[in-house]
Amino acid sequence: MRKLPAVAGRDLVAYFHTPAGLAVAALFLTLQGVVLWMFVQFLGRPDAPPGAVMEFFFGGTILYWIAMALLATVLPMRLLAEEFRSGTIETLLTAPVTMSEVVVGKWLAAVAYFLALWTPTLLYLVYLRAVGAAMDPGPLIAGYLGTILVGGAALALGLLASSLTRNQLVAATLSFVAFFLVLLLGVLEMQVAAPGAVQLLRRLSLFRMMEDFGHGIVDSRHVILLCTAMVLGLLGALRVLAIRTGRSVGGRTKRGLAPALLAPALVLLIAGMVNYLAGRHYVRGDWTRTGVYALSEKTVNVLRGLQRPVSVTVFLYPRRGGEEARALGGLVRELCDRFARHAPGLFQVELVDPDRNPERAEALQKKNGIAAHEMNEGVVIFTSGGRSKYLGRDDLVDYDLESGDGAGGHIRAWKGEPAFVGALLTVTDDHPPVVCFAGGHGEPDSESVDDGGYATFADDVRRDGNQTRNVARLTSDGVPAACTVLVIAEPQQAYAEGDLAAVETYLDRGGRLLLMMGPVFNRNATGFAHVGLEALAARWGIRLGDNLVVDPEHASEVEGPSVWAAGADNYASHALTARLGGRPTYWPRTREVTRMSPGTPAAPSNVRALEVRPFVHTSDKGWGEVDLTTIRGEGDLVFDKGKDQPGPIDVAVAVDATPSSAPAPAPTAAPTPNKPPRARLVVFGTGRLVMNYRLSGMLLRDYNRDLVLSAVAWLADREVRVGIGPKIPEQIKLTLQQETVAWAFRLFVVGLPLLCLMGAVVVWMKRRV
């Protein structure tokens, strides 16, 4: 292979020294420039989907595939066909080069020119960076890698076509037909119904491959398959060249039909075995900056510990909706593939197009009680052991409604992984936790659909895989033993001693309490009132302040200063805040909740240590307002130094108790039969976080539901549901002036191609002289 540079250089120079080669470059850059120009305008639309900045540049448009077909057809067509036509093949082979060097050298020349044509597209990145697009390098590198691999394979097959004929046009036709036949496999995927055929077509689909590369997903199966195509194309060209010239690769002529067929058959067999093993043992990397597609370690552990089969039926409408629907479908398919990989044979996925199978869609809709509008948006149904759970679009994604066009807006957060894990645990858990809602003291009714009720939240608790139960009174029999988590929210009447004793007993035996209690006022709102739970909280290291927490700089513009927003800067590092991913929660009529000062009464006697951790607080500009005149709205809201509590103010606390008779476990360890139960408490400074009026969607989009559901899951020792947060896809939206967009047209649709055409004219004139 020492002569490879000379062979490759000879043909590479020919590409640049012919007008046709530069004309091809001009046509190619025109097509790519049009793609970029359309792409820049597309990113400024309200319905632009999430993703890396160049995600749809690689394989996302028909112009990309036309350009690839152009190069795969034109670049290799003359490499061997012209040698045969002019008779120079014999002269070339009598030179001190081997046939292998001739074939590989000519292919390398085509690949080098292919790379040279793609190099100017790097200027597109410079332009996008200049207009303010923050680019994720992972998908960019993956996109170019996929383009090089597809191009290399197509050029190898084009070289094979060139070796079969003396006519360049025939070679070009063979290359063109072969390339589009392979593309057709990706189209057939949507037309077949047999699952095995669908899987095979997906493996062979160039559309799927470039979709993955464009998203920043590098699959070893794609890489090996494309490399195999390169090797087979080169070996095929080498074999044809040997037959047509009457020579053999090894220098000896082989005789007989059997030896002539044996080597190709063995090569094809080895290629098939390599790709079969690659399909069984593969790596699917996620090169995105935020790791949108990669599964967390907790999810992988859940899948590896799966004990029984789970059937997942995905209803998607590939022919409906716009780019957002397409993006959602891609995210769901990718997540299903990754789940199935880590639980082979147990996590079984079926993708169903309801437009093609309406009877089955209607039957499962009725069986699972799915609303028609949810079905029309697409659902995912989990089934195992007679239990089922479905996930709708709102369970999987959060939309940025303010930037939308009324049909959904941008995908702001991808919640698929925690939603899938929650559904998986729900259908495989035969003993779900029981969440008990206390009553009898003015608490919101968990069955009430009024604005101040908890019916919507109770539905969410059940959808998260729990059972719910109302506990009207605690005095007679105490807290029922079946209660995994006891919820006490917004009591307005004082707890009697018997009630408090029942709660204390429940905690002493390792119970779990979710206390949500805002400030309580006396009848005329002339003073703060206590309901008895303040002393209970103090016994467990928590102080409930007599104040109203405000944060004017983060106050809601819709609901007034008594409602303020907490964001990423207001969350402490804790499992309870992981599910939020830094997204906002809104805190209406909230009191201070913080840890007790040193020297306060000791913890319960059966507790060796208390870990009291505040995890939500206001900004430094927030404070605890104690002036009731101001709270009643009769005075100006200002911070009174020496009177009001200065910020930051804690409004949520988690308590983990270590039993005195057991060694100190890890902070998040779950109780086991060999260890005494450990009590846990979560206290929020308001119970209005999840009232019906907040979850109805009529107010600002918040994530209070996610926070409180995380608290329930943490209290119930469902750590996986707490610790898996949403993923935030790259969201690029360009707001460009018309002149800036016009410059993209001038530079890349006109400028670069014009330079190539000018070069072609110069070469043509020199050749005439």
Side-chain angles (χ1 to χ4, degrees):
M1 293 292 176
R2 290 175 295 178
K3 303 297 183 180
L4 272 179
V7 176
R10 171 177 173 266
D11 285 284
L12 180 59
V13 169
Y15 282 120
F16 288 100
H17 284 187
T18 58
L22 293 172
V24 169
L27 180 57
F28 169 78
L29 290 175
T30 299
L31 291 173
Q32 298 307 310
V34 170
V35 171
L36 178 73
W37 177 60
M38 295 169 57
F39 176 70
V40 168
Q41 297 179 88
F42 172 68
L43 287 179
R45 285 167 42 186
D47 60 340
V53 66
M54 294 283 278
E55 176 179 318
F56 302 100
F57 182 77
F58 299 105
T61 65
I62 190 61
L63 291 180
Y64 173 90
W65 294 110
I66 291 175
M68 292 293 285
L70 170 71
L71 299 185
T73 299
V74 175
L75 296 189
M77 69 179 186
R78 54 167 293 277
L79 292 177
L80 288 173
E82 179 64 17
E83 301 280 7
F84 280 113
R85 189 195 66 80
S86 62
T88 55
I89 187 66
E90 294 293 338
T91 304
L92 180 61
L93 292 178
T94 57
V97 294
T98 65
M99 280 193 296
S100 299
E101 289 173 333
V102 170
V103 170
V104 176
K106 286 180 174 294
W107 176 74
L108 287 177
V111 170
Y113 192 64
F114 177 86
L115 295 178
L117 294 182
W118 276 96
T119 300
T121 63
L122 295 175
L123 295 174
Y124 302 168
L125 308 182
V126 176
Y127 168 82
L128 290 170
R129 189 63 182 267
V131 298
M135 290 174 286
D136 187 348
L140 285 174
I141 296 172
Y144 278 108
L145 173 63
T147 298
I148 293 170
L149 290 173
V150 171
L155 292 174
L157 296 176
L159 183 62
L160 173 59
S162 181
S163 70
L164 293 170
T165 179
R166 299 165 56 91
N167 191 308
Q168 295 186 44
L169 293 180
V170 174
T173 302
L174 290 175
S175 299
F176 182 85
V177 171
F179 187 80
F180 269 92
L181 282 177
V182 176
L183 280 182
L184 184 62
L185 296 176
V187 178
L188 291 177
E189 177 194 343
M190 306 301 298
Q191 308 302 321
V192 299
V198 171
Q199 287 297 110
L200 177 60
L201 291 174
R202 290 190 69 187
R203 279 287 305 276
L204 299 176
S205 172
L206 291 180
F207 295 118
R208 293 293 185 194
M209 292 182 193
M210 286 310 304
E211 182 181 5
D212 284 348
F213 282 118
H215 289 163
I217 301 170
V218 179
D219 193 319
S220 61
R221 295 172 297 179
H222 300 337
V223 175
I224 291 174
L225 181 60
L226 292 171
C227 289
T228 301
M230 292 183 207
V231 173
L232 290 179
L234 294 177
L235 290 177
L238 183 61
R239 185 63 179 170
V240 172
L241 182 60
I243 293 173
R244 294 190 66 184
T245 58
R247 293 176 171 84
S248 66
V249 180
R252 293 176 298 177
T253 302
K254 295 183 179 181
R255 297 178 180 176
L257 182 61
L261 296 178
L262 180 60
L266 287 176
V267 169
L268 291 175
L269 179 62
I270 292 172
M273 292 177 60
V274 167
N275 281 274
Y276 173 77
L277 293 175
R280 297 291 299 273
H281 310 282
Y282 63 93
V283 176
R284 195 165 171 83
D286 179 1
W287 290 14
T288 60
R289 179 161 38 205
T290 57
V292 174
Y293 308 101
L295 300 182
S296 67
E297 184 179 352
K298 291 184 178 182
T299 299
V300 173
N301 290 335
V302 169
L303 292 169
R304 290 176 178 171
L306 203 59
Q307 298 297 317
R308 68 188 191 203
V310 176
S311 175
V312 180
T313 307
V314 181
F315 288 95
L316 294 174
Y317 295 86
R319 297 174 179 83
R320 296 189 193 178
E323 291 297 333
E324 293 292 348
R326 188 202 60 79
L328 176 58
L331 289 168
V332 171
R333 283 193 300 268
E334 177 65 22
L335 188 61
C336 288
D337 289 344
R338 290 180 181 262
F339 269 57
R341 182 190 171 196
H342 290 288
L346 294 177
F347 192 87
Q348 303 162 356
V349 181
E350 180 184 6
L351 301 176
V352 178
D353 180 356
D355 288 329
R356 298 180 61 188
N357 199 343
E359 296 82 8
R360 187 172 182 206
E362 185 178 357
L364 285 176
Q365 177 184 346
K366 292 180 179 178
K367 179 180 178 181
N368 293 275
I370 305 173
H373 74 277
E374 289 183 301
M375 198 71 182
N376 289 333
E377 293 171 347
V379 297
V380 183
I381 302 175
F382 288 71
T383 306
S384 179
R387 306 187 67 190
S388 64
K389 176 179 174 60
Y390 76 90
L391 302 173
R393 187 188 68 172
D394 291 340
D395 297 310
L396 300 173
V397 293
D398 282 331
Y399 287 98
D400 186 357
L401 300 179
E402 295 180 1
S403 65
D405 59 354
H410 290 304
I411 294 179
R412 177 160 55 177
W414 166 237
K415 304 185 296 183
E417 183 181 349
F420 268 47
V421 170
L424 195 67
L425 295 177
T426 297
V427 298
T428 57
D429 188 356
D430 294 323
H431 303 286
V434 179
V435 179
C436 296
F437 289 86
H441 306 87
E443 296 92 342
D445 187 352
S446 63
E447 298 179 357
S448 172
V449 295
D450 294 337
D451 286 349
Y454 265 24
T456 304
F457 176 63
D459 287 340
D460 291 329
V461 171
R462 288 187 287 270
R463 291 190 68 173
D464 212 33
N466 306 285
Q467 295 180 355
T468 60
R469 178 175 174 180
N470 289 326
V471 180
R473 284 289 179 181
L474 302 174
T475 53
S476 57
D477 299 320
V479 179
C483 293
T484 310
V485 177
L486 176 65
V487 178
I488 300 178
E490 288 293 315
Q492 300 300 308
Q493 301 170 14
Y495 269 57
E497 291 185 5
D499 299 339
L500 294 172
V503 178
E504 288 282 10
T505 302
Y506 171 73
L507 292 174
D508 288 342
R509 65 172 188 251
R512 309 299 171 91
L513 174 64
L514 173 59
L515 177 60
M516 298 186 286
M517 193 168 74
V520 183
F521 306 100
N522 59 24
R523 178 171 299 181
N524 299 320
T526 57
F528 293 96
H530 291 174
V531 297
L533 293 170
E534 297 83 0
L536 181 145
R539 186 167 176 254
W540 292 87
I542 305 169
R543 180 174 64 84
L544 300 179
D546 288 335
N547 51 36
L548 177 69
V549 176
V550 294
D551 197 346
E553 291 192 3
H554 297 86
S556 167
E557 296 180 359
V558 176
E559 301 175 83
S562 65
V563 181
W564 51 275
D569 295 338
N570 306 109
Y571 303 138
S573 178
H574 194 281
L576 287 166
T577 57
R579 189 167 176 172
L580 298 175
R583 296 171 299 171
T585 52
Y586 281 83
W587 296 76
R589 209 172 81 171
T590 304
R591 75 193 305 169
E592 180 184 17
V593 178
T594 190
R595 63 165 61 94
M596 296 288 290
S597 303
T600 53
S605 59
N606 63 333
V607 173
R608 184 166 66 86
L610 286 176
E611 182 186 17
V612 183
R613 295 180 60 186
F615 58 90
V616 183
H617 56 79
T618 68
S619 69
D620 294 341
K621 300 300 179 67
W623 70 83
E625 179 65 53
V626 299
D627 187 352
L628 290 171
T629 302
T630 301
I631 293 174
R632 291 194 302 267
E634 300 171 0
D636 294 333
L637 181 63
V638 294
F639 174 70
D640 296 322
K641 187 176 181 180
K643 184 177 181 182
D644 294 329
Q645 180 71 27
I649 304 293
D650 296 326
V651 294
V653 169
V655 178
D656 206 352
T658 302
S660 58
S661 56
T668 58
T672 66
N674 299 323
K675 293 181 180 180
R678 55 192 304 178
R680 277 183 171 178
L681 295 85
V682 173
V683 182
F684 292 115
T686 178
R688 295 172 174 256
L689 289 168
V690 288
M691 285 182 174
N692 290 334
Y693 81 97
R694 292 224 64 85
L695 303 182
S696 64
M698 301 301 293
L699 297 174
L700 292 173
R701 183 69 174 98
D702 59 46
Y703 298 89
N704 297 357
R705 172 194 286 109
D706 300 84
L707 177 61
V708 182
L709 286 177
S710 290
V712 172
W714 184 76
L715 291 169
D717 290 310
R718 292 187 155 189
E719 308 293 346
V720 174
R721 303 190 186 207
V722 181
I724 303 175
K727 304 291 181 65
I728 310 299
E730 285 286 325
Q731 183 66 70
I732 306 299
K733 183 182 179 183
L734 299 178
T735 304
L736 303 180
Q737 299 294 329
Q738 190 63 35
E739 182 65 19
T740 307
V741 176
W743 269 108
F745 185 86
R746 296 168 191 153
L747 290 174
F748 304 122
V749 181
V750 178
L752 287 178
L754 186 59
L755 287 177
C756 293
L757 287 177
M758 292 172 61
V761 172
V762 171
V763 170
W764 177 74
M765 294 179 65
K766 286 185 176 181
R767 289 172 66 91
R768 290 195 62 184
V769 174

